[in-house]
Amino acid sequence: MVTDGQIVIVGAGPAGMETALKLVKFGLQPIVIDAGAHSGGQIYRRPPVAHKRSYRTIYGADAVKARHLHDAFDAIRNAIDYRPNTRVWAAHAGELFLDGPDGRTTLTYDKLILCTGATDRVFPIPGWEAPGCYSLGGAQIALKSQALTLGDPIGFVGAGPLLWLVAWQHLQFGVQVAGVWCTATRRDLFRALPWLALRPRLAFRGVRQIFALWHAGVPVQFGAHPVAVTANADGPITGLRWSNGRKTSETPLRALALGWHLRSETQLSHLLEVPSVSGQHRPMIDSAGRSPVQGIYLAGDGVEILGADAARTGGRMAATAVLADLGYQQTWLDKLKSIADRAKHAQMRGFAKGLARAFPPPCAKRLSSLPETTIVCRCENVTLAAIGAVAENWKCQDINRIKALTRAGMGRCQGRYCGATLAAIVTAETGRAQSEIPEHRAQAPIYPLPFNVDDR
Amino acid sequence: MAPRPRAKRLGAIDRRSVHLQVDGIAVQALEGDTVLTAILLHGGQTGADAFNQTKQAGFCLMGACQSCWVWTSNAQRLRACDAEVKEGLEVFTTSKGAGW
Ligand SMILES: Cc1cc2nc3c(=O)[nH]c(=O)nc-3n(C[C@H](O)[C@H](O)[C@H](O)COP(=O)(O)OP(=O)(O)OC[C@H]3O[C@@H](n4cnc5c(N)ncnc54)[C@H](O)[C@@H]3O)c2cc1C
Ligand code: FES
């Protein structure tokens, strides 16, 4: 008999759930590790059990998909070793380091499927360290899983599909939306139309959200520049100063959510030495989700930001690759389904290209010309001046050097929320393309470990 | 007088109450709330940052940014955004509840 060895999936979002579902179909029993208390990942995040809101209320147009996936995963719970509330904080070949309800443990694997998803990509606005500023994802989590708005009125700034979606969701809940400031221009949007047309329903949904906000009287600005977050002397934010290139205005707010699309959570694949695609900062996988490192597979937003549907096809493709590598025979029906998945995946990559064009991040020059006192690294309180001085005086071309010299990116979030800015500053200073500068290197622990005085 | 909280509930209020203490002040929350939700609804903030003493109130709500730490009475550190409230829980921030 062949032994399949231990199969471990990290992440119980759509990618990890689909991977598990497919493996279980073939009689395998994967271990699924997830930081969350409930399966679902980001988009299909489940509220605490005590909430009794309907799927429709929480997930809107995605309600049916959410319910199907939750039900399917719940149905296999006894067939898998599912470990919620557990974080993988370090890894090396063949072994993961976990921190969960049983304390700190280790876990060996023969096959590892990383489905670690994404977090918000954020850039600094002067004054954004004041309480009352949140990531866009944070504002959505408050809404979806806590039935809470972080402020009323609340404003939204950034670029990306989530900007419009989250603003629109707040509107649906009757929250006053003080404004949506999109840093991308209408021209960016129009130029991306050919790619966006690859998924017309999704594109149409986005347009409808923008229109609904505008129709409800929400001030919607394209090509806006956030100038500063204003705050009381004792802390909380009071408003956003913004410019549209011609004039500067200030809008009063009680909370602000910001985000420029998403960034992949690639720390584990870095620690496991999965190489990046040359010229692009994303883990290298073949068309089935295999990395060049023996036994490691990747799927979902953790490898490339393609959205929830692609996370599901990616999860199924990775599971198919694992099965093939273990010598399982696929039926012709499975083979047909795999072909369909690959075709769908290609379409979603095209659409994602459109989104990237429609909603570019703020330009590097603009970021590096923000006021010098702007805090770039929220954890270690490192200002733009400090980073600029290092970049200029030391001719720094590497964000890891900047990190060593300024501590930016070394704090509690491990560079998740300043890495993109550091990369932009280096590109502005050196004139080199972002793809040419070395990547932010991950360090274990990738999450700060809790410590107790009575720690074992 | 306690400052008016910025966060606001949008339904799902037919849940059991849970009582906790934040910096020694009694706070009533609902079953399923996170500690951060309870703090935000009571006008509070989480720990001051270590450098310029500005107060914080969470940022990502998904356990990634670590700017929502609070401490329990046995000096255990909790991420307020992913810890659920429990009856009798005592947490401490360093912000002393001032300001907002
Ligand atoms: C806050 C947020 C909100 C979003 N909302 C929407 C939306 O409304 N609509 C939409 O179309 N798209 C949304 N997206 C995009 C969405 O992330 C993807 O479309 C989809 O959820 C990706 O699925 P995934 O399985 O790749 O990753 P995710 O759904 O992100 O799941 C990854 C899972 O892995 C876990 N994980 C990661 N690292 C570790 C680790 N080291 N140890 C243990 N567990 C780990 C995470 O806790 C998470 O549960 C959102 C993204 C974010 C970040
Ligand atoms: S708010 Fe970011 S970790 Fe809690």
Side-chain angles (χ1 to χ4, degrees):
Chain A
M1 206 189 96
V2 287
T3 64
D4 295 326
Q6 188 135 278
I7 305 178
V8 179
I9 300 170
V10 181
M17 292 162 98
E18 281 290 349
T19 309
L21 284 167
K22 173 125 196 190
L23 292 177
V24 166
K25 233 189 230 167
F26 282 78
L28 299 177
Q29 296 174 313
I31 299 173
V32 181
I33 310 286
D34 190 60
H38 309 281
S39 61
Q42 294 303 349
I43 173 168
Y44 305 129
R45 174 180 287 269
R46 299 194 215 201
V49 187
H51 283 240
K52 296 179 203 81
R53 293 186 295 161
S54 71
Y55 268 71
R56 193 81 217 159
T57 313
I58 302 174
Y59 305 104
D62 295 319
V64 175
K65 281 186 188 168
R67 160 147 274 155
H68 280 161
L69 194 57
H70 288 164
D71 289 351
F73 192 74
D74 290 346
I76 62 161
R77 258 193 85 155
N78 295 327
I80 61 175
D81 178 355
Y82 167 53
R83 305 190 194 172
N85 292 314
T86 306
R87 284 168 186 256
V88 182
W89 59 271
H92 61 68
E95 191 170 29
L96 302 178
F97 296 81
L98 314 182
D99 176 40
D102 306 327
R104 261 163 251 165
T105 51
T106 58
L107 180 67
T108 56
Y109 66 82
D110 296 290
K111 299 262 181 257
L112 176 68
I113 305 104
L114 295 174
C115 305
T116 49
T119 53
D120 293 274
R121 182 168 65 176
V122 301
F123 294 97
I125 300 174
W128 70 319
E129 64 281 8
C133 263
Y134 295 92
S135 72
L136 269 179
Q140 193 195 43
I141 290 167
L143 210 63
K144 268 191 192 172
S145 103
Q146 292 287 295
L148 196 74
T149 177
L150 295 167
D152 191 5
I154 182 169
F156 299 91
V157 61
L162 215 50
L163 176 75
W164 304 104
L165 172 65
V166 181
W168 178 81
Q169 285 171 329
H170 278 75
L171 188 70
Q172 299 303 300
F173 274 95
V175 179
Q176 190 193 334
V177 178
V180 183
W181 295 276
C182 176
T183 58
T185 61
R186 277 196 197 85
R187 224 168 86 204
D188 293 327
L189 209 61
F190 281 122
R191 274 202 294 219
L193 277 180
W195 282 274
L196 296 180
L198 281 170
R199 300 184 72 187
R201 274 178 56 190
L202 220 50
F204 183 65
R205 209 198 268 181
V207 172
R208 232 177 41 202
Q209 287 159 1
I210 298 175
F211 187 77
L213 285 158
W214 174 78
H215 190 71
V218 173
V220 169
Q221 290 280 334
F222 284 92
H225 305 299
V227 176
V229 175
T230 53
N232 285 336
D234 58 352
I237 74 160
T238 52
L240 177 73
R241 235 192 342 264
W242 55 276
S243 130
N244 58 6
R246 294 184 301 278
K247 66 174 176 57
T248 303
S249 321
E250 185 168 330
T251 304
L253 295 169
R254 286 179 71 80
L256 180 69
L258 51 98
W260 282 261
H261 213 25
L262 303 168
R263 53 165 285 288
S264 301
E265 280 284 298
T266 51
Q267 290 88 348
L268 290 180
S269 62
H270 281 182
L271 292 180
L272 291 164
E273 297 179 357
V274 173
S276 294
V277 179
S278 95
Q280 294 176 42
H281 293 177
R282 66 181 167 90
M284 187 187 286
I285 50 170
D286 68 8
S287 62
R290 268 183 212 97
S291 84
V293 181
Q294 173 80 24
I296 299 182
Y297 306 73
L298 293 104
D301 275 1
V303 60
E304 192 176 5
I305 308 297
L306 299 179
D309 293 339
R312 296 182 69 169
T313 49
R316 286 197 294 267
M317 282 156 45
T320 306
V322 169
L323 290 164
D325 294 350
L326 287 172
Y328 281 79
Q329 291 297 322
Q330 305 255 2
T331 63
W332 63 268
L333 187 62
D334 280 318
K335 281 187 187 149
L336 268 185
K337 279 189 190 159
S338 294
I339 293 170
D341 273 346
R342 284 189 194 202
K344 253 196 262 172
H345 212 73
Q347 184 191 12
M348 291 186 271
R349 287 189 77 173
F351 183 75
K353 198 189 255 177
L355 285 180
R357 285 184 186 222
F359 302 115
C363 91
K365 284 234 165 59
R366 184 171 282 279
L367 281 174
S368 60
S369 61
L370 285 173
E372 295 218 311
T373 50
T374 309
I375 288 175
V376 171
C377 163
R378 299 166 59 91
C379 303
E380 299 283 317
N381 213 40
V382 186
T383 61
L384 189 65
I387 292 163
V390 165
E392 200 182 315
N393 298 341
W394 297 66
K395 301 271 171 285
C396 256
Q397 313 217 330
D398 179 348
I399 59 180
N400 299 293
R401 254 338 254 161
I402 293 186
K403 177 173 159 186
L405 293 167
T406 66
R407 291 195 60 82
M410 214 183 257
R412 307 192 279 203
C413 84
Q414 287 287 307
R416 286 177 175 83
Y417 295 100
C418 66
T421 312
L422 296 181
I425 292 170
V426 173
T427 54
E429 286 292 333
T430 59
R432 292 163 78 197
Q434 193 132 331
S435 56
E436 290 171 27
I437 62 169
E439 278 175 277
H440 188 202
R441 274 195 297 274
Q443 298 268 344
I446 64 168
Y447 298 107
L449 290 168
F451 58 87
N452 300 331
V453 274
D454 57 352
D455 214 349
R456 59 220 96 195
Chain B
M1 205 187 78
R4 188 159 66 95
R6 304 204 155 206
K8 210 168 97 181
R9 287 198 198 276
L10 303 166
I13 51 169
D14 56 338
R15 287 179 272 153
R16 267 208 330 235
S17 333
V18 176
H19 303 85
L20 64 159
Q21 293 219 331
V22 180
D23 291 332
I25 297 166
V27 164
Q28 184 175 325
L30 298 178
E31 190 183 7
D33 282 353
T34 63
V35 174
L36 186 63
T37 296
I39 291 174
L40 293 180
L41 283 171
H42 287 81
Q45 292 160 9
T46 58
D49 95 37
F51 296 90
N52 56 6
Q53 298 301 309
T54 54
K55 288 149 199 153
Q56 313 221 305
F59 180 71
C60 72
L61 274 73
M62 52 188 281
C65 77
Q66 319 295 329
S67 68
C68 64
W69 288 351
V70 294
W71 286 263
T72 62
S73 41
N74 62 354
Q76 196 194 349
R77 198 174 68 200
L78 286 182
R79 257 188 308 265
C81 73
D82 63 12
E84 260 190 42
V85 294
K86 283 195 210 96
E87 188 64 38
L89 182 74
E90 260 187 274
V91 297
F92 298 92
T93 72
T94 51
S95 70
K96 315 237 172 14
W100 98 344

